[in-house]
Amino acid sequence: MRPISIHTGAWRYPGAWPDANFNFGHIKRLAQTLERGKFDAFFMADHLAVLNMPVQALKRSHTVTSFEPFTLLSALAGATEHIGLVATASTTYDAPYHIARRFASLDHISGGRAGWNIVTTANPDSALNFNLDEHVDYATRYRRAREFYDVVTGLWDSFADDAFIRDVESGIYFDPEKMHVLDHKGEQLSVRGPLNIARPVQGWPVIVQAGASEPGRQLAAETAEVVFAASHTLADGKSFYADVKGRMEKLGRARDELKILPGAFVVVGDTLEEARATRERLDSLVHPDSGLASLSIALGTDATHFDLDAPLPDIPDTNASKTGRANTIALAKREGLTVRQLAQRLGGYSGLQFVGTPQTIADEMEQWLVEEGSDGFNIMFPYLPGGLDDFVDKVIPELQRRGIFRTEYEGKTLRENLGLKRPANRFFPG
């Protein structure tokens, strides 16, 4: 689902497109390849600031430039027919009316293929780009996110599905009785409404969320329909899966109303040795400056002064992402890594990985599905376009042969392809 590689060395790999994330021709080809492989969606991550890392590391990062998501995905809507289009949008540094209108527009333009990845924004430097001197505190960000969700979905329900009658004879364009003024006044938000666009094709674009902290899990259980999880092992995946699905049930939501998709870094080879060699070569392209910068971001604290050949010291709590910090500390303890080793891993990719042949990768994926560690995966590729092509041409056929992946799209909308129901309009339930 995520065709832009997050591996720091990806753009340097032999045969890779160095500008894969900022060349529309390349991105269009990637989206069309995903569609050929019958993927659910193209996921466009986003940042509201250049990553907060030293310039010595920043100068080596291919993330320093990227397209604005709605512009890119609207263009991709015209270049594809089936693939879902999921964009990140911040609840901390944007307004709900803007978000509601953009996603409703994308859903109409794409014929019902939009999805909203709700983020509270972890990078503290983002605040400096939005007239603030410091990052909004963690608890406030999550309270705002919950209220923000209620406002956006309420705005999407501003009009009944049949409000726009467009009666040429009478001259009536829409039925005023089928328009709702939200008039929301809450703790942090005040939004009158209604939204000046018809209800989205899907009712609501698919709601995606990625937080794994305590408030993140609760927000997912209450609101999300897809969760991009960060489980490193099958045991972690099963625990997260059971926890979030259990929270849903307590809230009266059915378990199948939410799809849990852990991020998985996939490296394909004709032999296990070949796949491992690809991963090793990729990791060798990570410069130490990049590794320490990635470690600093993950921990939310400056790691450049740590003893490189000692274990990770105690890390104080910060206002950055709780999940990234916890996962990094857990990885260091689990594998007994020094700071140097941990930085090298973080500079590449430290999460769940499937490195092997099409058959072994399919074996591992099937185990996650059967044992309820996930409902699918947010696939990340080692480099582009070759890593994506290998997965589509070699792994997808093996998954299809086993009957655990589609051979044709189930419907026309992202909801239909994910097996998610269309939400009823809360103001016009009939």
Side-chain angles (χ1 to χ4, degrees), residues 72-84:
L72 176 63
L73 296 185
S74 294
L76 289 179
T80 57
E81 295 181 8
H82 302 285
I83 194 83

Side-chain angles (χ1 to χ4, degrees), residues 223-238:
T223 68
E225 295 169 297
V226 173
V227 169
F228 291 153
S231 305
H232 287 57
T233 66
L234 179 55
D236 290 342
K238 292 166 70 173

Side-chain angles (χ1 to χ4, degrees), residues 13 265-279 354-362 364 381-383 386-395 398:
Y13 196 84
F265 188 76
V266 179
V267 183
V268 186
D270 291 331
T271 65
L272 181 58
E273 292 73 22
E274 180 184 318
R276 287 174 174 168
T278 297
R279 177 67 205 256
F354 298 132
V355 179
T357 67
Q359 292 73 29
T360 64
I361 291 171
E364 292 185 89
F381 305 100
Y383 62 95
L388 169 58
D389 291 339
D390 285 344
F391 190 87
V392 168
D393 294 336
K394 298 176 181 180
V395 180
E398 178 63 22

Side-chain angles (χ1 to χ4, degrees), residues 274 349 356 372:
E274 180 184 318
Y349 178 76
E372 294 192 337

Side-chain angles (χ1 to χ4, degrees), residues 228-248:
F228 291 153
S231 305
H232 287 57
T233 66
L234 179 55
D236 290 342
K238 292 166 70 173
S239 175
F240 180 82
Y241 190 99
D243 178 46
V244 174
K245 299 266 185 172
R247 294 177 192 234
M248 291 177 63

Side-chain angles (χ1 to χ4, degrees), residues 329-379:
I329 294 172
L331 172 64
K333 291 181 178 179
R334 183 171 64 247
E335 299 190 19
L337 302 177
T338 65
V339 171
R340 186 188 305 277
Q341 292 168 328
L342 186 61
Q344 181 75 16
R345 187 76 65 85
L346 266 291
Y349 178 76
S350 61
L352 173 63
Q353 61 175 338
F354 298 132
V355 179
T357 67
Q359 292 73 29
T360 64
I361 291 171
D363 287 342
E364 292 185 89
M365 288 185 165
E366 187 168 13
Q367 185 180 11
W368 276 72
L369 298 174
V370 170
E371 297 188 20
E372 294 192 337
S374 73
D375 296 307
F377 300 93
N378 179 16
I379 303 295

